[in-house]
Amino acid sequence: AWIASASRDRESASPGSCSTPESQVASAREFASSRKLPFAEGVLELKLADEDAIVAFAASKLLIARADAKLLARVETPVSKLISAEMAWTHLAMPVSLDSQRNLTVVMFDPTSIAAVKAIAEATGLYVVRAVAGRTDLLQALTQHYGPRASATFDPGATMPGDPLPP
């Protein structure tokens, strides 16, 4: 839906465009997969939708909470330390609360990433409840709570969100 909406906006701006939402989804999937990025990152990098549209879509369609920069800034250190800096940066994910039933609420830019949810659940032994936030807000919070991305260890073959694209 957000791709279709963005597509309609672009088509009205450039009448010669004949890209369909289905072909854009396929392009975003291929692009994200080839760079080891979550799907939402591929959509964002290809400029098929902006981060606000992606976040609003995820919150409404997945029926999950939407977090803002203020909430992310207030996360207590013991909660944020439930996952490593590497995991947080790799998945653009940040734990924000742990309840008495061992449900860990994790704010993510791409809450559709099953790989991220599985990795966090396996690493923590907790049930992961997804929430969504904008990439910009998450990047700021991850830097605040975990330090700069460069200090984490990563898969050298992966393209990280926000990195310049190869030629």
Side-chain angles (χ1 to χ4, degrees):
W2 34 269
I3 291 177
S5 174
S7 174
R8 282 191 297 273
D9 293 346
R10 265 193 315 287
E11 286 172 6
S12 63
S14 57
S17 174
C18 61
S19 183
T20 66
E22 292 80 13
S23 68
Q24 291 176 340
V25 167
S27 293
R29 274 194 187 16
E30 182 180 324
F31 178 84
S33 176
S34 71
R35 287 163 179 79
K36 298 182 183 181
L37 294 171
F39 176 68
E41 288 290 336
V43 170
L44 190 64
E45 294 289 337
L46 291 174
K47 297 180 178 23
L48 297 175
D50 64 26
E51 74 179 77
D52 289 334
I54 293 169
V55 170
F57 181 82
S60 70
K61 296 302 179 193
L62 298 176
L63 302 174
I64 59 176
R66 185 175 182 171
D68 62 14
K70 289 179 186 176
L71 171 76
L72 294 169
R74 291 191 322 256
V75 173
E76 296 176 5
T77 300
V79 174
S80 69
K81 297 303 180 193
L82 289 170
I83 67 172
S84 68
E86 178 182 1
M87 183 170 287
W89 278 109
T90 298
H91 298 293
L92 283 188
M94 185 170 162
V96 295
S97 69
L98 176 64
D99 69 20
S100 62
Q101 301 300 310
R102 299 184 47 84
N103 295 310
L104 179 65
T105 300
V106 178
V107 176
M108 311 165 72
F109 174 59
D110 186 355
T112 66
S113 175
I114 301 305
V117 172
K118 281 184 176 180
I120 294 166
E122 288 175 11
T124 63
L126 302 168
Y127 180 79
V128 174
V129 176
R130 299 170 295 168
V132 65
R135 185 172 110 184
T136 303
D137 291 343
L138 267 170
L139 293 174
Q140 183 177 17
L142 292 175
T143 300
Q144 174 190 340
H145 292 278
Y146 296 99
R149 179 174 69 189
S151 65
T153 306
F154 297 102
D155 171 0
T159 301
M160 294 307 298
D163 281 352
L165 300 177

